Amino acid sequence: MAAGELLHESSEAKGEVRVWAQIKTEAKRDAESEPALASYLYSTILSHSSLERSLSFHLGNKLCSSTLLSTLLYDLFLDAFSSDPSLRAATVADLCAARERDPACVSFSHCLLNYKGFLACQAQRVAHKLWSQSRKPLALALQSRIADVFSVDIHPAARIGKGVLLDHATGVVVGETAVIGNNVSILHHVTLGGTGKVGGDRHPKIGDGVLIGAGATILGNVKIGEGAKIGAGSVVLIDVPPWTTAVGNPARLVGGKERPSKHEDVPGESMDHTSFISEWSDYII
């Protein structure tokens, strides 16, 4: 392993330790201030020695059923998180994304325990690992449970980067060959689907730093360029250039196709949904 990779891995490990320490501090504070939650916080966070153990326990209990036991799921998740540092790094990046981008996220522990978009994303990454190991029946069974419990349906073959925020998350659908980059934010009822006409590589590719507004639908093997913004309720069927904004049904580029307006911020991080509107008087209700 190169020196640069060692430093990067060391930095990620330190970040994981810091975030886990903060989560335990928050859980202890909340247990003291709200005794009704003390037992719950102890069993899910305070009794565990690491973030991966806490997350594995929590996911196992959330996703278990009468025939898919929590102990089996706990072992499955713990083995995946413990053996793969990239999964743990993605978990920490997702926690930080929620804490930094969502004003409603009051603490890291709040996200870990209560954000179903975060939990669905972590479980999907484990399902993706299983899929990559040719353990497809188990990966698909896990996908089904994630959809049942969290109302988030992401195929286990889909590839998801880190620093991803599924905000509210209800109704998010991501198809088999979709790819989601780093530092992407996706709101509820977003579909990254196929057109229904082709097989093979048939789902969207979402670049780094993209923001996809609530209810947006992106269909087909199209590319949403780095730093692009997709307005709420938009329907996108063709590529969107980097650092541009597409809105409407069918979606059109703000500023026009020939010379679209470009922004400098990273929408997936800034969460700015309305900066493309220059004149509110143009929008008549």
Side-chain angles (χ1 to χ4, degrees):
M1 185 179 293
E5 292 176 331
L6 282 171
L7 286 172
H8 180 65
E9 187 173 295
S10 175
S11 176
E12 288 183 338
K14 289 178 181 177
E16 181 182 343
V17 169
R18 285 196 298 270
V19 169
W20 175 238
Q22 180 64 28
I23 288 171
K24 296 198 79 169
T25 297
E26 293 165 355
K28 184 177 180 180
R29 175 202 65 200
D30 293 343
E32 291 173 350
S33 65
E34 188 55 76
L37 291 176
S39 178
Y40 171 61
L41 291 168
Y42 180 81
S43 64
T44 53
I45 294 176
L46 295 173
S47 65
H48 299 283
S49 59
S50 65
L51 177 57
E52 63 262 29
R53 288 182 178 275
S54 172
L55 178 59
S56 298
F57 177 86
H58 193 41
L59 285 173
N61 279 284
K62 282 281 189 180
L63 295 173
C64 68
S65 68
S66 59
T67 53
L68 198 59
L69 301 183
S70 61
T71 50
L72 181 151
L73 291 175
Y74 172 76
D75 290 340
L76 178 70
F77 287 124
L78 184 58
D79 178 67
F81 288 120
S82 299
S83 63
D84 192 339
S86 68
L87 288 182
R88 301 198 301 274
T91 295
V92 172
D94 290 357
L95 283 166
C96 291
R99 189 72 180 94
E100 292 167 5
R101 300 176 206 165
D102 185 0
C105 185
V106 297
S107 65
F108 287 113
S109 60
H110 173 46
C111 178
L112 173 65
L113 295 176
N114 304 320
Y115 270 38
K116 66 181 184 178
F118 166 79
L119 293 169
C121 199
Q122 310 321 305
Q124 190 278 342
R125 289 201 184 96
V126 173
H128 179 74
K129 187 177 180 71
L130 294 170
W131 184 271
S132 301
Q133 295 171 339
S134 296
R135 301 174 70 183
K136 294 183 178 180
L138 183 54
L140 291 168
L142 194 52
Q143 175 196 2
S144 177
R145 287 302 297 158
I146 295 167
D148 288 346
V149 174
F150 299 128
S151 299
V152 176
D153 194 351
I154 307 176
H155 194 281
R159 291 182 284 151
I160 302 177
K162 63 182 182 180
V164 172
L165 172 62
L166 302 183
D167 196 357
H168 295 286
T170 298
V172 168
V173 176
V174 179
E176 178 181 8
T177 60
V179 178
I180 299 172
N182 299 322
N183 302 316
V184 171
S185 291
I186 298 175
L187 276 290
H188 51 286
H189 290 292
V190 164
T191 298
L192 305 181
T195 62
K197 294 184 178 181
V198 294
D201 193 359
R202 62 196 184 277
H203 296 105
K205 311 299 181 283
I206 311 300
D208 295 346
V210 168
L211 171 62
I212 306 178
T217 299
I218 306 173
L219 300 179
N221 185 17
V222 298
K223 184 176 181 180
I224 309 302
E226 178 183 3
K229 184 187 305 185
I230 310 299
S234 299
V235 176
V236 179
L237 302 175
I238 60 175
D239 292 356
V240 175
W243 308 105
T244 63
T245 299
V247 294
N249 181 6
R252 292 175 171 82
L253 294 178
V254 173
K257 183 177 180 180
E258 300 303 322
R259 298 185 64 183
S261 302
K262 294 200 173 185
H263 45 259
E264 296 182 356
D265 69 314
V266 181
E269 297 177 7
S270 69
M271 301 295 288
D272 187 347
H273 292 265
T274 60
S275 62
F276 64 90
I277 301 175
S278 58
E279 294 290 341
W280 279 98
S281 59
D282 293 341
Y283 291 74
I284 301 172
I285 297 176

